[in-house]
């Protein structure tokens, strides 16, 4: 690889790092061709971009990036694959599910919305992170509960203010 080709790869990686709020580093070495193909297919279905990268080039891209990657450059040893996703827990769920059939991929580290996670032991923590959609669903559920109380108060109170207040005070 020429110096110019390396510079181009670093620029591309730096742009991808800048565009992503969820970045996972994993070790997929040792997977045979069929398992690697299955992993790539699973990533595609989950809207996760998977690429194998050279550690030195990724380290330079991280250094050139405006983001603070903390300890992540230190895990760039051996085989490294990078996963980009819009959903914080999607790569963790995919890795955990894939490991039901194989002992790989191993999680090296992750960068999720400025938080750094290092080590395969963080996989369960990452799986339990709620996505933006899951959080919105929970907030909507919490907001609907008081609204339902008001509606039931209106119905059982006969539409009179005193009846509504009495019904609502009994529910507290």
């Amino acid at each position: 690889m020429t110096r110019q080709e390396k510079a181009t790869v670093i620029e591309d990686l730096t742009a991808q790092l800048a565009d992503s709020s969820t970045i996972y580093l994993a070790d997929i070495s040792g997977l045979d061709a069929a398992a690697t193909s299955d992993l790539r297919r699973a990533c595609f279905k989950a809207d996760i971009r998977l690429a194998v990268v050279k550690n030195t080039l990724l380290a330079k891209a991280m250094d050139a990036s405006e983001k603070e990657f903390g300890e992540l450059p230190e895990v760039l040893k051996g085989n490294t694959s990078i996963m980009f996703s819009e959903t914080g827990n999607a790569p963790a769920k995919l890795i955990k599910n894939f490991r039901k059939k194989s002992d790989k991929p191993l999680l090296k580290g992750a960068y999720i919305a400025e938080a750094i996670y290092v080590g395969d032991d963080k996989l369960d923590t990452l799986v339990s992170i709620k996505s933006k959609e899951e959080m919105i669903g929970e907030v909507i559920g919490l907001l609907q509960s008081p609204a339902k109380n008001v509606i039931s108060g209106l119905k059982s109170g006969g539409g009179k203010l005193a009846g509504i207040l009495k019904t609502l005070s009994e529910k507290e």
Side-chain angles (χ1 to χ4, degrees), residues 15-29:
Q16 289 178 37
L17 293 173
D19 291 343
S20 297
S21 62
T22 301
I23 302 160
Y24 279 66
L25 303 176
D27 177 3
I28 64 170
S29 65

Side-chain angles (χ1 to χ4, degrees), residues 19-84:
D19 291 343
S20 297
S21 62
T22 301
I23 302 160
Y24 279 66
L25 303 176
D27 177 3
I28 64 170
S29 65
L31 290 179
D32 62 18
T36 301
S37 179
D38 290 345
L39 178 63
R40 289 186 179 280
R41 193 174 302 107
C43 285
F44 180 77
K45 286 180 183 175
D47 200 25
I48 298 169
R49 288 175 291 145
L50 173 69
V52 177
V53 293
K54 286 189 135 199
N55 292 330
T56 54
L57 300 181
L58 180 55
K60 288 180 181 181
M62 286 177 161
D63 193 42
S65 171
E66 294 181 10
K67 293 181 178 175
E68 180 55 50
F69 289 102
E71 303 169 46
L72 284 184
E74 297 168 22
V75 303
L76 297 177
K77 296 175 178 76
N79 183 303
T80 302
S81 295
I82 190 165
M83 299 172 146
F84 297 101

Side-chain angles (χ1 to χ4, degrees), residues 60-153:
K60 288 180 181 181
M62 286 177 161
D63 193 42
S65 171
E66 294 181 10
K67 293 181 178 175
E68 180 55 50
F69 289 102
E71 303 169 46
L72 284 184
E74 297 168 22
V75 303
L76 297 177
K77 296 175 178 76
N79 183 303
T80 302
S81 295
I82 190 165
M83 299 172 146
F84 297 101
S85 175
E86 296 300 316
T87 307
N89 64 0
K93 287 180 177 180
L94 184 135
I95 290 170
K96 188 166 184 145
N97 189 41
F98 200 81
R99 290 215 318 224
K100 291 176 182 175
K101 298 176 275 183
S102 172
D103 60 339
K104 298 275 177 128
L106 293 175
L107 177 67
K108 288 182 162 192
Y111 173 95
I112 302 172
E114 300 182 12
I116 308 294
Y117 301 86
V118 176
D120 195 60
D121 60 323
K122 301 291 190 272
L123 187 61
D124 288 331
T125 302
L126 292 168
V127 167
S128 67
I129 290 176
K130 296 198 183 298
S131 69
K132 182 169 43 172
E133 291 77 18
E134 291 168 330
M135 290 298 291
I136 290 171
E138 282 188 13
V139 169
I140 289 172
L142 291 171
L143 293 174
Q144 284 178 342
S145 182
K148 288 178 184 174
N149 288 343
V150 170
I151 291 169
S152 78

